[in-house]
């Protein structure tokens, strides 16, 4: 965004007296072009500044001529061109001063209104300054070359005369140079070269800092081509100046020559070492035994790398924070003495791509096999421990085959070994990325930061994670401040000058909760990203608001008014708060149980809101179908493509008021009678309903231990409700139950579509191993047929019988009570022996009567 696009809409009185000599129409015509020229950095009156001003005047005249349109407009434009040439041809520096004053006045008016300038403006200014400084340096090198030629033409001169000129040149200051003063020109060029180097290094540091902020979601211009061009241009000028210094070395004296060469070598070393950087960072939360990628780039590689028989190899190693600090303080010149972790596939060749003019090493399949933890400070946890990946290589550069050991350190990495550490590790990375300084000792970061900076960080993270352009609002920051500072009585202004600590962010548990502030906030991020992005982007979710404030907001509203808020007590939940009004006009605000991401994947938030008829208007007064209509999913009607009738899940909510009114509204609703319990199992109270009892498959020979059928006194038409589903094992051949022989045949309905006939055992079955008193259960229920299953011939209702007896011996007195006194029972020893043999045949462990449950007290 250009400066003129902002100020052109401001009232003209803000610029009174600004456009006099330079008309406003011409400013409007030139617009962006005028702002993209280095007017403000032409500050001197030397030959370079005069030359640069003349170049700008000529470029302006050509630009205006190129903008000429129709006949009338063309005459006006040509008049402007004539005025420009007549006014500034003799004094182009005057034009520079006029345009500089206009731009400064426009910036001042914009700052007064907005209190800041766009970031793009600052970036453009930095680029213009560096470009002009580079032109100045090239101009200086040209002057040196011209003067050097003059020295050669003079031939032999007295040594004393030249030494006098050298001493005088060392006394010159900042641009006050004589045209024939070669040593002074070289010293000035050296100073300007060092200044340009500092600008390049600063720009590289800014790029790295922006790359780190991008880890939190900031916008990042990844393109390194402009920076590579800067480095290459500066290195070209370096070699030109070095050649000139060496060429006139005899005239400079050994002392000055050695100092100049040392300064030149320092410039080259700084440029080479700084231009080796991590272009693609490894993951900042890195799990062991997980593959990851990274890449490094050598900006000066295409220009300086010399052909080699063996390719230059880049190696990646893990280093601790302590090792990283030692490397940084040593200037990244010392090889790594010890690895803190084992990385697989950690060597890659440094390759030059002639098409893209880049030199890169790309690691595609690295894997951190293990990590060696270092000693932690105080209460520091594993997820607060920071390490880094160190990329290093040895290269030979330039015509002189200079050897360099290059090292580049990645951003801080938190290594985890389990997914449940991910949340806390992300907090460490977020804090470090947001609040570290531009040039710091690794990995020092503030323990306490202003709350306003924290708000900016949370907003940046939220918008990037959710991928929305709708960020947090002031009222959201107020709620978050109340939460993190545990102060619900303060006003928004009370938090403006507060600072928040790392402990408050992710070490201290929130009062009355089981999680930290960051853990809760990250849960909101994850839920919104996965299920609520469109709702948030449409501003349908208030989200960050307390339950108490919701009650205050919704209390006066009509029945059915609702809003959406993130759960304050659960991680990753959203709830619906809505108003219910009674017949007496009293209002009650209810909060529906929060929905998790899993819930919203089953049925979306929009469909749930549609399901609830008691929800009518989104706060303050927006009909729900109007604002949520685009979020409703189309309900499928009729049959699907396979011929099935469509089904749908609907959500209902029974309010507390409905629960109170339910008995009055439906008095006919009577609870079903408790079913009769016909079994007595160890450890189960006799009054427990039968629908909680899992009955065995009557076709199986394995029955629960100590299952005894008490004496059954049922009338002719007695029935029981067993709660057995239609797919129960009772859809099977009839089963025999021990029962009194005198029991008449009785129909037993055992649930929906399940019924059995119970009648005494016929004496002719005794030879087949059945005992007197066994009952026959005949299956009287219809056999279900599922259209998806192959048809199977159903069992005949004719008597399919099988015995059903206890597996463990029951006391004779109980069996006598249950089976009647007219049955001759085997002795207890005989029953025990029979059961022992049966269980041994089945490979079962015989019961141990040392266990009180195996032989309970009778």
């Amino acid at each position: 965004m250009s400066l003129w696009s902002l100020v052109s809409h401001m009232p003209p009185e803000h610029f009174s007296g600004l456009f006099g000599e330079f008309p406003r129409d011409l400013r409007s015509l030139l617009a962006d072009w005028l702002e993209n020229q280095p007017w403000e950095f032409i500050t001197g009156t030397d030959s370079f500044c005069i030359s640069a001003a003349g170049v700008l005047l000529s470029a302006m005249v050509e630009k205006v001529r190129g903008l000429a349109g129709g006949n009338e407009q063309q005459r006006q434009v040509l008049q402007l061109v004539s005025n420009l040439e007549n006014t500034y041809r003799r004094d182009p520096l005057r034009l520079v001063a006029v345009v500089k004053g206009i731009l400064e006045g426009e910036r001042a008016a914009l700052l007064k209104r907005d209190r800041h300038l766009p970031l793009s403006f600052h970036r453009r200014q930095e680029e213009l300054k560096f470009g002009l400084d580079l032109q100045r340096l090239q101009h200086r090198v040209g002057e040196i070359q011209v003067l050097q030629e003059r020295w050669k033409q003079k031939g032999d001169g007295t040594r004393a005369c030249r030494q006098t000129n050298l001493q005088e040149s060392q006394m010159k200051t900042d641009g006050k140079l004589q045209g024939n003063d070669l040593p002074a020109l070289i010293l000035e060029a050296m100073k300007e070269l060092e200044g340009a180097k500092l600008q390049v290094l600063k720009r590289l540091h800014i790029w790295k800092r922006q790359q780190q902020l991008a880890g939190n979601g900031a916008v990042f211009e990844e393109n390194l081509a402009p920076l590579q061009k800067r480095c290459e241009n500066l290195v070209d000028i370096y070699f030109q100046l070095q050649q000139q210094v060496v060429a006139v070395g005899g005239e400079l004296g050994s002392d000055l020559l050695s100092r100049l060469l040392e300064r030149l070598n320092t410039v080259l070393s700084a440029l080479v070492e700084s231009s080796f950087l991590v272009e693609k960072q490894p993951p900042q939360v890195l799990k062991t035994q997980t593959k990851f990628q990274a890449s490094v780039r050598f900006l000066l590689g295409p220009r300086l790398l010399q052909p080699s028989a063996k390719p230059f190899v880049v190696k990646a190693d893990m280093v601790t924070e302590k090792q990283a600090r030692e490397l940084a303080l040593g200037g990244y010149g010392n090889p790594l003495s010890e690895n803190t972790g084992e990385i697989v596939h950690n060597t890659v060749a440094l390759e030059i791509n002639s098409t893209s003019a880049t030199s890169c090493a790309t690691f595609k399949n690295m894997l951190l096999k293990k990590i060696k933890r270092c000693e932690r400070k105080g209460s520091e946890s594993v997820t607060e421990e920071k390490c880094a990946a160190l990329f290093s290589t040895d290269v030979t550069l330039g015509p002189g085959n200079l050897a360099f050991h290059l090292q580049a350190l990645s951003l801080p990495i938190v290594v985890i070994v389990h997914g449940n550490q991910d949340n806390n590790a992300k907090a460490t990375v977020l804090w470090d990325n947001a609040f570290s300084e531009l040039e710091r000792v690794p990995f020092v970061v503030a323990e306490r930061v202003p709350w306003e900076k924290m708000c900016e960080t949370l907003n940046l993270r939220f918008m990037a994670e959710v991928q929305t352009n709708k960020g947090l609002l002031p009222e959201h920051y107020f709620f978050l401040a109340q939460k993190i500072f545990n102060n619900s009585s303060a006003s928004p202004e009370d938090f403006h000058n507060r600072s928040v600590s790392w402990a408050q962010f992710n070490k201290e548990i929130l009062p009355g909760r089981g999680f930290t502030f960051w853990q809760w906030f990250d849960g909101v991020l994850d839920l919104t990203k996965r299920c609520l992005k469109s709702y948030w982007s449409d501003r349908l979710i208030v989200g960050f608001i307390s339950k108490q404030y919701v009650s205050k907001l919704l209390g006066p509203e009509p029945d059915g008014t609702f809003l959406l808020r993130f759960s304050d007590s659960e991680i990753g939940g959203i709830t619906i708060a809505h108003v219910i009004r009674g017949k007496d006009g009293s209002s009650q605000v209810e909060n529906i149980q929060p929905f998790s991401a899993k819930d919203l994947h089953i049925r979306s938030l929009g469909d749930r809101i549609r399901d609830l008829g008691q929800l009518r208007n989104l706060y303050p007064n927006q009909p729900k179908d109007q604002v949520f209509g685009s979020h409703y999913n189309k309900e499928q009607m009729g049959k699907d493509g396979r011929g099935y009738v469509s089904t749908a899940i609907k959500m209902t909510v029974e309010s507390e008021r409905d629960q109170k009114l339910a008995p009055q509204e439906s008095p006919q609703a009577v609870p079903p009678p408790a079913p009769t319990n016909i079994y007595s199992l160890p450890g189960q109270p006799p009054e427990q309903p039968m629908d909680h009892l899992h009955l065995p498959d009557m076709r199986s020979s394995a029955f629960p231990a100590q299952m005894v059928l008490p004496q059954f006194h049922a009338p002719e038409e007695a029935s029981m409700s067993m709660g057995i589903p239609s797919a129960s094992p009772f859809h099977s051949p009839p089963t025999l139950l021990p029962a009194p022989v005198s029991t008449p045949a009785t129909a037993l309905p055992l649930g929906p579509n399940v019924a059995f006939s119970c009648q005494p055992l016929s004496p002719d079955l005794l030879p087949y191993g059945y005992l007197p008193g066994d009952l026959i259960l005949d299956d009287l229920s219809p056999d279900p047929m599922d259209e998806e299953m192959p048809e199977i011939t159903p069992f005949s209702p004719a008597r399919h019988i099988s015995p059903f007896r206890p597996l463990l011996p029951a006391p004779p007195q109980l069996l006598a009570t249950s089976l009647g006194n007219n049955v001759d029972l085997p002795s207890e020893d005989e029953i025990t022996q029979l059961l022992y043999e049966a269980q041994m045949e089945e490979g079962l462990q015989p019961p141990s009567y040392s266990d009180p449950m195996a032989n309970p007290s009778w």
Side-chain angles (χ1 to χ4, degrees):
M1 182 176 292
S2 67
L3 183 65
W4 179 250
S5 65
L6 297 173
V7 301
S8 59
H9 301 290
M10 297 176 65
E13 54 268 19
H14 289 178
F15 311 101
S16 58
L18 197 60
F19 299 100
E21 187 174 328
F22 196 90
R24 183 182 175 92
D25 291 341
L26 184 57
R27 170 67 180 99
S28 176
L29 191 63
L30 294 171
D32 295 354
W33 181 89
L34 204 69
E35 300 170 27
N36 290 324
Q37 310 306 318
W39 308 97
E40 299 167 78
F41 306 107
I42 301 176
T43 56
T45 57
D46 58 3
S47 60
F48 169 73
C49 291
I50 295 173
S51 173
V55 170
L56 287 178
L57 174 60
S58 300
M60 181 182 289
V61 169
E62 290 300 320
K63 181 68 176 178
V64 173
R65 282 178 178 162
L67 295 173
N71 294 334
E72 183 63 28
Q73 184 180 7
Q74 186 176 10
R75 284 196 296 269
Q76 294 177 358
V77 169
L78 292 178
Q79 184 64 40
L80 290 174
V81 170
S82 177
N83 293 340
L84 283 173
E85 290 182 323
N86 294 334
T87 305
Y88 303 115
R89 184 188 302 162
R90 296 182 181 180
D91 188 7
L93 289 176
R94 179 181 166 189
L95 173 65
V96 171
V98 169
V99 175
K100 186 189 300 184
I102 292 173
L103 295 177
E104 289 176 352
E106 291 176 348
R107 282 203 307 274
L110 190 61
L111 279 171
K112 186 177 180 180
R113 188 191 71 175
D114 298 342
R115 298 185 179 180
H116 67 87
L117 295 172
L119 180 62
S120 58
F121 170 80
H122 297 288
R123 183 175 299 176
R124 182 174 64 244
Q125 291 296 98
E126 189 271 336
E127 292 173 353
L128 291 174
K129 183 178 186 304
F130 179 79
L132 186 68
D133 288 345
L134 205 61
Q135 292 179 28
R136 189 191 304 273
L137 188 54
Q138 291 170 334
H139 180 82
R140 194 75 67 203
V141 169
E143 287 184 333
I144 293 173
Q145 189 170 359
V146 171
L147 195 56
Q148 184 180 349
E149 293 295 332
R150 291 179 184 174
W151 274 45
K152 288 181 181 179
Q153 293 175 3
K154 287 183 179 180
D156 296 333
T158 60
R159 187 76 177 178
C161 179
R162 291 185 178 179
Q163 187 65 32
T164 301
N165 288 340
L166 178 60
Q167 294 173 356
E168 291 177 356
S169 66
Q170 292 175 343
M171 299 172 62
K172 305 294 181 181
T173 59
D174 299 341
K176 296 180 180 179
L177 304 175
Q178 295 179 0
N180 58 354
D181 199 343
L182 180 60
L185 279 175
I186 292 177
L187 287 172
E188 186 64 22
M190 188 70 240
K191 182 179 177 181
E192 292 172 352
L193 178 66
E194 290 171 333
K197 176 207 71 174
L198 292 177
Q199 287 189 62
V200 170
L201 297 186
K202 182 178 179 180
R203 189 67 190 87
L204 287 171
H205 282 301
I206 291 174
W207 186 90
K208 293 177 181 179
R209 177 63 182 142
Q210 290 174 337
Q211 185 188 47
Q212 185 175 20
L213 289 173
N216 287 356
V219 178
F220 175 47
E221 180 56 54
E222 299 182 56
N223 185 16
L224 280 168
L227 277 175
Q228 177 170 318
K229 190 66 176 176
R230 286 193 187 192
C231 293
E232 291 174 346
N233 289 340
L234 202 56
V235 165
D236 290 343
I237 295 176
Y238 158 85
F239 282 117
Q240 294 177 30
L241 187 59
Q242 184 195 46
Q243 291 174 0
Q244 291 172 347
V245 169
V246 171
V248 297
E251 312 299 334
L252 298 176
S254 60
D255 184 43
L256 179 59
L257 177 62
S258 62
R259 283 190 284 115
L260 284 172
L261 291 177
E262 183 179 353
R263 291 169 68 180
L264 285 168
N265 289 336
T266 302
V267 169
L268 180 63
S269 298
L271 290 173
V272 168
E273 292 170 0
S274 298
S275 66
F276 185 69
L277 43 80
V278 183
E279 183 176 27
K280 180 183 179 182
Q281 293 285 341
Q284 287 192 265
V285 176
L286 181 60
K287 187 179 178 183
T288 56
Q289 303 297 330
T290 303
K291 289 184 178 181
F292 64 98
Q293 299 181 349
S295 66
V296 293
R297 181 166 171 178
F298 185 29
L299 299 181
L300 289 175
R303 186 63 57 91
L304 296 181
L305 278 177
Q306 296 298 305
S308 173
K310 294 178 63 178
F312 301 112
V313 175
V314 181
K315 184 181 179 182
D317 297 290
M318 293 298 293
V319 295
T320 64
E321 182 174 349
K322 181 181 178 182
Q323 289 174 313
R325 189 176 297 118
E326 292 171 352
L327 288 168
L329 295 176
Y332 297 101
N334 301 321
L336 184 65
S337 58
E338 181 184 6
N339 291 337
T340 190
E342 181 182 347
I343 301 180
V344 181
H345 306 305
N346 66 330
T347 55
V348 172
L350 183 63
E351 300 175 341
I352 297 179
N353 188 324
S354 56
T355 304
S356 60
T358 58
S359 176
C360 299
T362 303
F363 297 82
K364 296 182 179 179
N365 293 298
M366 283 194 292
L367 182 142
L368 181 59
K369 196 170 183 180
K370 59 182 179 180
I371 186 70
K372 182 165 62 177
R373 302 289 186 185
C374 59
E375 294 183 5
R376 291 184 290 277
K377 300 170 285 186
S379 61
E380 187 179 66
S381 66
V382 171
T383 55
E384 294 176 80
E385 181 182 336
K386 290 177 274 191
C387 56
L390 177 69
F391 301 92
S392 57
T393 185
D394 294 294
V395 295
T396 303
L397 305 177
N401 291 326
L402 301 174
F404 285 91
H405 179 71
L406 305 180
Q407 292 179 327
L409 200 65
S410 76
L411 293 174
I413 296 173
V414 178
V415 177
I416 62 174
V417 296
H418 195 278
N420 60 11
Q421 298 172 316
D422 182 74
N423 180 275
N424 291 327
K426 286 193 295 185
T428 300
V429 169
L430 179 78
W431 186 278
D432 189 273
N433 286 348
F435 307 122
S436 60
E437 299 295 334
L438 188 62
E439 298 181 45
R440 61 163 176 175
V441 176
F443 295 110
V444 177
V445 66
E447 282 290 324
R448 183 174 289 274
V449 297
W451 170 244
E452 289 186 352
K453 284 191 175 182
M454 174 57 72
C455 291
E456 294 173 4
T457 299
L458 295 177
N459 182 52
L460 194 65
R461 181 70 174 205
F462 188 93
M463 295 177 67
E465 195 81 10
V466 180
Q467 296 184 346
T468 178
N469 57 359
K470 299 296 176 62
L472 304 182
L473 302 174
E475 51 267 32
H476 298 152
Y477 296 138
F478 179 47
F479 167 78
L480 295 174
Q482 289 179 318
K483 193 173 188 68
I484 199 169
F485 294 116
N486 188 28
N487 188 345
S488 58
S489 60
S491 65
E493 293 74 20
D494 295 334
F495 297 115
H496 286 172
N497 297 321
R498 294 284 296 271
S499 60
V500 61
S501 67
W502 161 250
Q504 289 172 312
F505 181 66
N506 195 47
K507 285 185 75 73
E508 299 172 356
I509 301 298
L510 293 174
R513 306 290 183 236
F515 43 81
T516 65
F517 173 85
W518 164 253
Q519 290 168 350
W520 173 83
F521 187 81
D522 189 50
V524 169
L525 282 181
D526 184 67
L527 175 70
T528 310
K529 173 180 66 176
R530 293 168 62 186
C531 306
L532 304 174
K533 174 183 174 181
S534 59
Y535 301 92
W536 176 270
S537 298
D538 291 344
R539 290 298 188 197
L540 302 178
I541 300 174
V542 176
F544 300 99
I545 185 172
S546 66
K547 185 183 293 186
Q548 294 76 14
Y549 193 60
V550 166
S551 298
K552 183 179 177 181
L553 278 182
L554 296 183
E557 298 299 323
D559 188 52
T561 304
F562 69 98
L563 59 76
L564 304 172
R565 54 175 288 270
F566 296 122
S567 173
D568 193 39
S569 57
E570 294 185 12
I571 293 179
I574 187 169
T575 183
I576 303 174
H578 63 105
V579 180
I580 297 178
R581 287 198 174 275
K583 295 181 179 179
D584 59 352
S586 61
S587 66
Q588 180 181 349
V589 176
E590 291 191 349
N591 291 269
I592 298 174
Q593 181 178 345
F595 309 123
S596 65
K598 182 179 179 180
D599 298 326
L600 298 179
H601 281 307
I602 295 173
R603 188 157 180 81
S604 70
L605 180 63
D607 290 342
R608 290 174 183 267
I609 291 173
R610 176 173 55 181
D611 292 341
L612 300 179
Q614 60 266 51
L615 305 182
R616 297 183 181 88
N617 295 319
L618 180 67
Y619 179 85
N621 187 25
Q622 304 177 74
K624 74 172 185 180
D625 292 336
Q626 179 180 331
V627 293
F628 285 97
S630 61
H631 300 276
Y632 295 160
N633 290 312
K634 185 178 180 181
E635 298 288 351
Q636 185 173 349
M637 306 298 291
K639 295 184 178 182
D640 62 11
R642 299 174 298 168
Y644 288 104
V645 177
S646 301
T647 62
I649 300 173
K650 301 287 186 180
M651 189 182 81
T652 61
V653 173
E654 185 177 11
S655 68
E656 187 176 324
R657 182 185 65 176
D658 294 336
Q659 293 174 2
K660 293 177 181 178
L661 296 177
Q664 302 173 6
E665 293 175 354
S666 53
Q668 71 279 9
V670 180
T676 307
N677 187 359
I678 65 170
Y679 291 112
S680 175
L681 298 180
Q684 180 176 345
E687 65 272 14
Q688 182 169 347
M690 283 300 296
D691 57 345
H692 294 288
L693 181 63
H694 297 284
L695 296 179
D697 190 336
M698 296 304 176
R699 290 165 290 184
S700 171
S701 62
F703 300 112
Q706 296 290 350
M707 186 169 289
V708 180
L709 184 67
Q711 189 170 6
F712 180 59
H713 301 288
E716 193 80 330
E717 298 298 325
S719 65
M720 300 178 295
S721 175
M722 299 280 290
I724 302 174
S726 59
S728 83
F730 279 99
H731 277 284
S732 61
T735 305
L736 295 182
L737 298 174
V741 175
S742 59
T743 304
T746 305
L748 304 178
L750 301 182
N753 302 322
V754 182
F756 293 90
S757 159
C758 184
Q759 49 187 305
L761 179 72
S762 173
D764 57 354
L765 292 176
L766 291 176
Y768 294 92
Y770 298 111
L771 299 177
D774 281 350
L775 287 180
I776 301 175
L777 256 65
D778 280 351
D779 188 355
L780 302 181
S781 57
D783 293 285
M785 298 296 296
D786 192 328
E787 63 178 356
E788 293 296 314
M789 299 294 292
E791 185 172 348
I792 300 176
T793 304
F795 290 107
S796 169
R799 306 189 176 189
H800 300 279
I801 53 179
S802 59
F804 180 31
R805 306 187 187 93
L807 289 181
L808 292 181
Q813 62 269 27
L814 182 60
L815 287 175
T817 303
S818 301
L819 302 177
N821 297 323
N822 58 342
V823 179
D824 294 330
L825 297 175
S827 67
E828 183 177 351
D829 291 339
E830 290 174 339
I831 294 176
T832 302
Q833 182 62 30
L834 287 172
L835 288 173
Y836 179 85
E837 293 174 357
Q839 289 176 329
M840 290 297 292
E841 288 177 0
E842 295 294 329
L844 302 175
Q845 182 67 28
S848 172
Y849 291 101
S850 60
D851 182 358
M853 292 304 298
N855 187 23
S857 172
W858 298 95

